Amino acid sequence: MKKYLKEYGFIVFFLVFGTVSYFYNFNFGINVSNVFLSMFIEMISFIPIVFILVGLLDAWIPSQKFQKYMGPESGVKGTVLSVVFSMFQAGPLYGAFPIVYILYKKGASVKNIFIFLGCFSALKIPMLSIEIGYLGIEFTLARTLIAIPLFITIGYIMEYYLKNKDFKITDPTEVKS
C-alpha cells in the first residue's frame, strides 16, 4: 500500500483537492481542475496520432536514410532538412519528443536533433501564420531570421558539449522495480 501511495499519492491528492474545491466552491481549485481537464483532453486527443505517425516513420524510413540526410556527416544538408522538417510539424512541443526519439534511434546527429527541437518550438508554419496576423510580417521575419541562426548555433554547441557522451536507448516498456 505504501508503494502505491508513494507513486500515486499526488494524483489522489489532486483528485481529492479538485472534488473538495467543487463542493466548497473554492475558485482557485475549480480553475486548476478545469485547466488540468482541458489540457488532459487536448493531450489525450493528440498523443495517439503522434505515436501512430512516429510508428510509421520508424517502420517506413530505414536508418541509412536518416544517417545519410540527418546524421553526423550530413553537413549543411542535414541542418537545412532539420529546419524545414520541423517547420512543417504541428502541435505542442511534447509532440516533438517521440519524433526526436526516432531521429536519435535512427542515427540523426545531436546537432540536428537540437536544431529540430528549437525550430519546432518557435518556427512552425501554422504558428508563424498566426504571428503574422497579430504582429505583422516584419516582426515575424526579423524573429525568424534571428531564431534560425541561434538554433543552429545551439545545435553545434550541444553537439560539441555532448560529443563523448554515450546515451543508452532503453526500451520504454521496461518497468523499474
Side-chain angles (χ1 to χ4, degrees):
M1 184 67 177
K2 277 187 174 182
K3 177 184 173 187
Y4 292 115
L5 190 58
K6 185 177 179 181
E7 289 183 23
Y8 302 109
F10 185 75
I11 295 171
V12 171
F13 172 76
F14 184 77
L15 291 172
V16 169
F17 176 74
T19 304
V20 169
S21 296
Y22 275 106
F23 282 121
Y24 289 102
N25 202 22
F26 181 55
N27 286 332
F28 176 75
I30 293 170
N31 290 339
V32 167
S33 299
N34 288 337
V35 168
F36 172 79
L37 188 60
S38 69
M39 293 293 186
F40 182 75
I41 290 170
E42 175 189 324
M43 187 176 67
I44 290 299
S45 64
F46 181 77
I47 288 293
I49 295 167
V50 169
F51 282 135
I52 289 170
L53 292 174
V54 165
L56 293 173
L57 185 72
D58 190 23
W60 287 350
I61 301 177
S63 295
Q64 295 84 8
K65 291 280 187 194
F66 273 103
Q67 290 170 1
K68 178 181 177 185
Y69 292 109
M70 293 184 78
E73 305 300 319
S74 62
V76 175
K77 176 175 48 177
T79 300
V80 170
L81 193 58
S82 294
V83 171
V84 171
F85 182 52
S86 65
M87 290 177 75
F88 284 101
Q89 303 296 314
L93 185 58
Y94 59 79
F97 293 113
I99 297 169
V100 166
Y101 172 75
I102 294 299
L103 290 175
Y104 182 74
K105 182 178 155 189
K106 294 281 189 169
S109 69
V110 171
K111 168 191 68 166
N112 288 331
I113 288 172
F114 276 97
I115 292 169
F116 175 83
L117 276 175
C119 293
F120 185 97
S121 67
L123 300 175
K124 293 180 286 207
I125 290 176
M127 188 175 78
L128 292 175
S129 63
I130 293 169
E131 186 178 306
I132 289 170
Y134 282 106
L135 301 172
I137 188 124
E138 296 86 9
F139 176 84
T140 303
L141 281 174
R143 189 185 68 79
T144 302
L145 292 174
I146 292 169
I148 290 175
L150 180 68
F151 292 135
I152 291 171
T153 303
I154 290 170
Y156 277 97
I157 290 169
M158 293 307 293
E159 184 174 60
Y160 175 78
Y161 178 72
L162 299 172
K163 68 182 170 191
N164 294 326
K165 305 285 191 258
D166 184 30
F167 300 104
K168 293 181 183 178
I169 296 178
T170 58
D171 185 5
T173 58
E174 292 177 9
V175 179
K176 292 181 180 179
S177 25

